[in-house]
């Protein structure tokens, strides 16, 4: 045995000299047995280079489960992994956000264990953690039933109670493949073949009698999966190909405690109550009509009122910030889309061409080429730049039938789109102004938090991108410079750029903590070249302008959907389609109701009188169900005093107030776009 020593750097700055082969668990125990018991896994960070967070992709990647670990990158390992080289070490406890993925993936092993004990003929696919839980793909001739899920859940409880250790084992690749093939484990054979090479050792994990091909990490033992629930059963074709066998995907979720799991399901229930499709119906905001087609939105009067307010705000703000407003057509000749490159790069997302007598036309999936044509319609000099053209433009994109979702995924939508054409020297200021504008949108509409992502290209995948290497480098550097200059924290997402340039995406965080992708600022060297755009510079020479695409609501439809869910339909006063509901107590107060209505309308309010021959409480309830911010009730006493009895949404009866006072207070709230009442 060699007696080599390695240096383990701990987060508090201490450096432990330990024999090679020492495990994170040994180190945790030497610090404190309580820390060892609380630890779930360990994070190893290479000593060379800056510390970075462990990459946690949104999509569960097969490679992340099976491909060999990259020791040059930070990575999570089992507590029992022998340490063989100098490293930084962090013990990952249940509080660490990464720990949840480890327990969820471990729960997938527990589920597979239970399934094989109950249904030994089942073949295993793979079982990754996801953002909200985990799944495992199974193949079995007889599909699972919902009753089977209950059986599996009960068996999982037994597996957890056994508290079997997760033990890593290795086997030569060829031996593992031979065993999987002999057992007819076609999916495991596929994964081993895809992610290992001849001569490799294949990594397995054993818990009790169950063994699975996996690189880990896992929690120390099955007993650490303290709260688990199976949530859903769905069919999926193996490798997404309908010619392949149909798999059964069982979804579940897991937590370190029942309390956390209960909170999770309470959040889901709250989200379901806020579902914009449900509220859209209840509040009569919008509809989707089968006769017209999927993914096409009908804005009803109340939804349309909110949209008008959103659009008015946006147009005014654009003018204030130096944009010019334009309108452009919904269709154009295929030739235009050939010039722009959409016909090549984007055709799969476009509606198929329409044949007319003079040419083939296509619905526009983007407004960019139209704004370019306006720019090109007259010669430009450096003194004209930047040119900022804004439009609330309707675009149409092909989404597969069956993939549409309320206002969030549609085939026709309205972008609050703008294109900025400028000189390279102006680009950073323009991008900065876009980011300021985006922040103004989010705060005005009541969102407090946002996250920024910078999507860059993948230089190894050149076929998917237009533009030269130098252009990409300049574009990415400009965007980074602006974000750094503004002190905005951001995450770089390599390979996620648009085909024509890198982009900054701003994701807002709603009241339930969910992330929504809305605002985007995209750089473009490509279209100006394709359209041979020019301006005459100070030097008298012709130059090519650069172009920024930006949409801040993103899509008006989608932004509205997010607003509905964020506010659960209880819109702030300035956005509410009906701001004040009037409830005369009896018929003899109808004349006073008209007077109150006239006074409110004169002050700019959107008002509705309920003069039906109904009981007062019924009228109040109806306005309350419509989430009307204010309900004013009045009878003899109020009429005599030129007053109203005020009921405020969420606060109930606020007592009587002179009408003039109510108007003054509510007006101030509208003017400040307050989210309070
Ligand atoms: Zn595993
Ligand atoms: Zn554009």
């Amino acid at each position: 045995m060699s007696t080599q020593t390695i240096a383990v750097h701990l987060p508090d700055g201490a450096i432990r000299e330990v024999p090679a082969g020492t495990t994170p668990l040994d180190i945790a125990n030497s610090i404190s047995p309580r820390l060892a018991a609380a630890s779930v896994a360990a994070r190893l960070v290479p000593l060379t280079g800056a510390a970075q967070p462990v990459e946690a992709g949104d999509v569960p990647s097969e490679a992340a489960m099976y491909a060999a670990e990259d020791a040059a990158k930070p990575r999570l390992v089992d507590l029992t992994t022998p340490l063989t080289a100098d490293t930084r070490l962090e013990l990952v406890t249940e509080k660490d956000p990464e720990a949840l993925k480890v327990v969820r993936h471990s729960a997938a092993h527990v589920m597979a264990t239970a399934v094989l004990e109950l249904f030994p003929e089942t073949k295993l696919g793979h079982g990754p953690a996801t953002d909200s839980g985990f799944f495992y793909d199974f193949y079995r001739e007889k599909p699972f039933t919902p009753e089977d899920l209950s059986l599996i859940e009960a068996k999982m409880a037994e597996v957890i109670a056994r508290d079997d250790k997760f033990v890593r084992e290795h086997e030569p690749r060829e031996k593992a493949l031979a065993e999987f093939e002999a057992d007819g484990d076609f999916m495991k054979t596929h994964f081993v073949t895809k992610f290992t090479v001849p001569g490799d050792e294949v990594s397995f994990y054993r818990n009790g009698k169950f063994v699975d091909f996996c690189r880990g990490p896992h929690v120390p033992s099955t007993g650490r999966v303290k709260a688990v629930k199976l949530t859903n059963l769905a069919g999926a074709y193996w490798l997404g190909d309908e010619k392949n066998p149909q798999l059964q995907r069982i979804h579940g979720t897991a937590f370190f405690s029942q309390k956390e799991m209960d909170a999770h399901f309470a959040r889901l229930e709250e989200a379901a109550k806020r579902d914009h499709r449900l509220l859209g119906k209840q509040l009569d905001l919008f509809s989707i009509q089968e006769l017209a087609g999927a993914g096409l939105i009908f804005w009803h009067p109340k939804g349309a009122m909110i949209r008008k307010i959103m659009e008015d705000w946006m147009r005014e703000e654009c003018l204030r910030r130096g944009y010019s407003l334009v309108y452009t057509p919904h269709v154009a000749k295929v030739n235009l889309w050939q010039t722009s490159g959409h016909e090549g790069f984007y055709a799969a997302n476009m509606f198929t061409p329409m044949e007319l007598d003079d040419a083939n036309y296509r619905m526009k999936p983007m407004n960019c080429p139209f704004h370019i044509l306006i720019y090109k319609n007259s010669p430009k000099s450096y003194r004209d730049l930047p040119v900022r053209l804004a439009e609330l433009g309707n675009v149409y994109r092909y989404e597969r039938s069956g993939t549409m979702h309320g206002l969030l995924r549609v085939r026709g939508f309205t972008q609050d789109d703008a294109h900025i054409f400028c000189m390279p020297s102006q680009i950073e200021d323009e991008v900065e102004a876009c980011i300021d504008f985006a922040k103004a949108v989010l705060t005005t509409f009541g969102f407090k938090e946002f996250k920024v992502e910078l999507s860059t290209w993948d230089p190894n995948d050149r076929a998917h991108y237009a533009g030269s290497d130098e252009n990409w480098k300049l574009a990415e550097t400009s965007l980074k410079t602006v974000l750094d200059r503004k002190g905005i924290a951001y995450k770089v997402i390599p390979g996620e750029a648009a085909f024509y340039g890198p982009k900054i995406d701003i994701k807002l965080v709603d009241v339930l903590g969910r992330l929504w992708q809305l605002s985007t600022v995209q750089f473009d060297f490509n279209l100006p070249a394709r359209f041979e755009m020019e301006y005459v510079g100070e030097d008298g020479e012709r130059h090519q302008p650069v172009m920024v695409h930006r949409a801040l609501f993103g899509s008006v439809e989608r932004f509205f959907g997010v607003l509905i869910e964020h506010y659960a339909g209880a819109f702030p006063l300035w956005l509410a389609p009906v701001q004040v509901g009037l409830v005369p107590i009896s018929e003899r107060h109808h004349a006073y109701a008209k007077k109150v209505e006239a006074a409110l309308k004169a002050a700019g309010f959107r008002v509705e009188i309920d003069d039906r021959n109904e009981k007062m409480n019924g009228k109040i309830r109806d306005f309350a169900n419509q989430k009307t911010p204010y309900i004013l009730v009045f009878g003899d006493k109020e009429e005599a005093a030129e007053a109203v009895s005020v009921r405020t949404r969420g606060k109930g009866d606020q007592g009587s107030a002179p009408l003039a006072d109510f108007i003054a207070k509510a007006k101030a709230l509208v003017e400040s776009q307050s989210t309070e009442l």
Side-chain angles (χ1 to χ4, degrees):
M1 277 293 289
S2 99
T3 52
Q4 193 204 342
T5 352
I6 54 169
V8 177
H9 297 237
L10 298 173
D12 64 359
I15 301 175
R16 297 273 175 112
E17 299 281 342
V18 295
T22 301
T23 67
L25 187 63
D26 296 333
I27 291 172
N29 263 316
S30 75
I31 297 169
S32 101
R34 271 181 61 191
L35 177 62
S39 297
V40 175
R43 181 180 289 118
L44 303 185
V45 183
L47 287 170
T48 48
Q52 308 158 316
V54 174
E55 276 173 38
D58 290 339
V59 184
S61 144
E62 289 169 4
M65 295 179 61
Y66 301 121
E69 292 112 322
D70 183 352
K73 283 191 175 156
R75 62 197 170 108
L76 291 185
V77 298
D78 297 325
L79 286 174
T80 50
T81 301
L83 302 175
T84 53
D86 294 355
T87 185
R88 281 195 193 90
L89 170 73
E90 292 166 26
L91 292 159
V92 173
T93 65
E94 293 180 7
K95 285 189 218 97
D96 191 298
E98 292 290 317
L100 206 49
K101 288 216 158 178
V102 178
V103 76
R104 285 171 173 174
H105 170 64
S106 305
H109 280 246
V110 168
M111 176 162 73
T113 309
V115 166
L116 283 195
E117 287 182 21
L118 290 166
F119 311 100
E121 71 282 10
T122 309
K123 301 300 172 213
L124 302 181
H126 80 147
T130 63
D131 279 350
S132 56
F134 63 89
F135 66 80
Y136 212 114
D137 283 339
F138 300 105
Y139 174 70
R140 184 170 170 252
E141 255 170 67
K142 191 165 164 249
F144 292 117
T145 63
E147 292 72 47
D148 292 338
L149 287 202
S150 311
L151 286 177
I152 295 167
E153 235 175 35
K155 183 60 84 178
M156 286 173 77
E158 289 175 29
V159 176
I160 290 167
R162 281 182 224 149
D163 198 19
D164 290 323
K165 284 193 163 53
F166 282 102
V167 182
R168 190 172 191 171
E169 297 174 352
H170 291 91
E171 212 173 63
R173 177 184 192 261
E174 283 60 38
K175 185 161 177 264
L177 275 176
E179 284 167 7
F180 280 137
E181 266 163 38
D183 290 345
D185 269 315
F186 62 100
M187 294 181 279
K188 290 297 177 193
T189 308
H190 166 86
F191 290 129
V192 173
T193 313
K194 182 168 173 189
F195 291 106
T196 62
V197 292
D200 275 0
E201 286 263 292
V202 176
S203 158
F204 289 90
Y205 276 85
R206 176 186 295 281
N207 55 287
K209 292 199 188 86
F210 176 76
V211 181
D212 200 357
F213 168 49
C214 185
R215 78 169 199 203
H218 303 94
V219 294
S221 61
T222 58
R224 294 296 287 276
V225 183
K226 290 187 199 117
V228 64
K229 191 176 167 60
L230 301 186
T231 51
N232 175 251
L233 176 63
Y237 288 104
W238 167 234
L239 303 176
D241 186 339
E242 57 194 70
K243 288 196 275 312
N244 283 339
Q246 174 136 39
L247 307 181
Q248 311 266 306
R249 178 168 290 184
I250 303 181
H251 289 267
T253 194
F255 289 89
F256 286 108
S257 74
Q258 189 61 39
K259 202 174 142 207
E260 287 167 56
M261 182 140 97
D262 291 346
H264 167 79
F265 282 102
R267 258 194 318 274
L268 285 188
E269 211 173 292
E270 181 58 32
K273 271 191 248 160
R274 289 167 179 263
D275 189 318
H276 71 280
R277 295 167 300 175
L278 191 80
L279 286 167
K281 262 197 205 100
Q282 276 171 19
L283 304 177
D284 196 16
L285 301 172
F286 72 92
S287 63
I288 295 157
Q289 307 277 340
E290 210 180 308
L291 186 58
L296 303 169
I297 306 301
F298 289 76
W299 295 73
H300 295 197
K302 285 179 178 162
M305 177 54 73
I306 299 175
R307 174 169 172 163
K308 179 199 176 292
I309 299 162
M310 290 166 64
E311 293 192 350
D312 285 354
W313 182 89
M314 182 54 78
R315 288 199 175 94
E316 287 307 314
E317 210 50 40
C318 279
L319 292 174
R320 216 170 63 72
R321 291 170 188 261
Y323 289 79
S324 307
L325 299 177
V326 297
Y327 294 90
T328 61
H330 289 211
V331 294
K333 285 197 287 194
V334 164
N335 299 17
L336 176 71
W337 306 116
Q338 278 160 351
T339 306
S340 68
H342 287 88
E343 197 63 39
F345 282 109
Y346 206 72
N349 302 85
M350 293 168 75
F351 278 39
T352 42
M354 292 171 270
E355 199 181 321
L356 299 189
D357 63 340
D358 58 341
N360 285 349
Y361 287 75
R362 272 192 169 199
M363 308 290 286
K364 67 172 167 184
M366 296 186 191
N367 304 295
C368 341
F370 294 73
H371 293 182
I372 291 172
L373 294 184
I374 292 177
Y375 175 101
K376 276 174 64 92
N377 198 52
S378 61
K380 297 283 182 292
S381 94
Y382 68 95
R383 277 184 300 262
D384 301 316
L385 301 185
V387 169
R388 306 183 191 95
L389 301 180
E391 174 177 16
L392 285 149
N394 293 97
V395 295
Y396 297 87
R397 293 185 189 170
Y398 170 69
E399 298 276 356
R400 267 188 310 122
S401 56
T403 60
M404 262 69 74
H405 181 88
L407 294 167
L408 303 181
R409 193 141 178 203
V410 292
R411 281 179 172 166
F413 59 97
T414 312
Q415 283 184 308
D416 64 313
D417 205 2
H419 295 94
I420 299 163
F421 307 99
C422 64
M423 295 185 276
S425 61
Q426 295 168 322
I427 191 74
E428 286 178 14
D429 287 344
E430 290 303 312
V431 171
E432 182 165 2
C434 287
I435 291 170
D436 288 340
F437 197 167
K439 278 165 84 175
V441 172
L442 301 185
T443 50
T444 303
F445 286 86
F447 299 97
K448 293 188 173 71
E449 241 190 284
F450 59 88
K451 300 221 153 96
V452 176
E453 290 179 356
L454 173 62
S455 298
T456 57
W457 75 333
D458 176 359
N460 299 319
D461 190 15
R462 284 214 94 295
H464 279 102
Y465 302 97
S468 72
D469 289 28
E470 301 82 70
N471 284 349
W472 277 88
K473 197 160 171 232
L474 174 56
E476 293 185 357
T477 311
S478 302
L479 292 178
K480 273 189 191 141
T481 306
V482 170
L483 289 172
D484 291 338
R485 191 159 83 199
K486 298 198 74 66
I488 293 174
Y490 60 95
K491 193 167 142 193
V492 178
I493 319 269
E496 279 300 306
F499 76 80
Y500 47 78
K503 58 177 180 168
I504 293 172
D505 286 329
I506 302 175
K507 296 188 172 181
L508 63 78
V509 183
D510 78 2
V511 73
L512 297 185
R514 297 173 299 179
L515 279 178
W516 299 92
Q517 165 59 54
L518 298 162
S519 307
T520 178
V521 179
Q522 312 193 346
F523 207 89
D524 194 341
F525 276 115
N526 173 50
L527 282 180
R530 294 188 77 102
F531 279 92
E532 299 174 339
M533 299 177 77
E534 288 179 347
Y535 67 93
V536 176
E538 217 167 341
D539 55 6
E541 301 289 320
R542 293 174 187 284
H543 299 274
Q544 192 175 84
V546 285
M547 177 171 178
V548 175
H549 311 247
R550 83 27 99 264
L552 305 178
F553 289 144
S555 124
V556 174
E557 283 74 7
R558 191 172 155 81
F559 197 85
F560 183 44
V562 175
L563 277 184
I564 296 171
E565 300 208 358
H566 181 63
Y567 289 115
F571 297 103
L573 189 62
W574 73 287
L575 286 171
V578 174
Q579 296 166 305
V580 189
L582 302 184
V583 177
I585 290 174
S586 77
E587 224 180 303
R588 69 173 182 282
H589 307 114
H590 284 184
Y592 181 58
K594 288 279 173 207
K595 218 173 127 185
V596 173
E597 182 192 32
L600 284 164
K601 282 193 166 166
F605 287 98
R606 299 180 288 277
V607 192
E608 214 172 85
I609 304 182
D610 190 343
D611 54 9
R612 291 174 303 167
N613 192 14
E614 296 276 336
K615 291 232 161 52
M616 178 184 84
N617 283 338
K619 297 180 185 183
I620 292 174
R621 198 181 326 112
D622 286 350
F623 277 126
N625 285 341
Q626 288 296 301
K627 313 207 181 211
T628 312
Y630 289 111
I631 304 168
L632 305 183
V633 185
F634 32 82
D636 295 340
K637 204 167 59 155
E638 285 80 12
E639 183 169 351
E642 294 249 328
V644 286
S645 176
V646 181
R647 301 182 73 90
T648 304
R649 184 181 63 204
K651 294 183 189 163
D653 193 348
Q654 303 292 298
S656 175
L659 178 60
D661 289 5
F662 169 78
I663 289 177
K665 186 192 159 212
K667 223 176 151 174
L669 289 176
V670 169
E671 274 160 16
S672 62
Q673 292 154 333
S674 171
T675 51
E676 305 291 321
L677 292 178

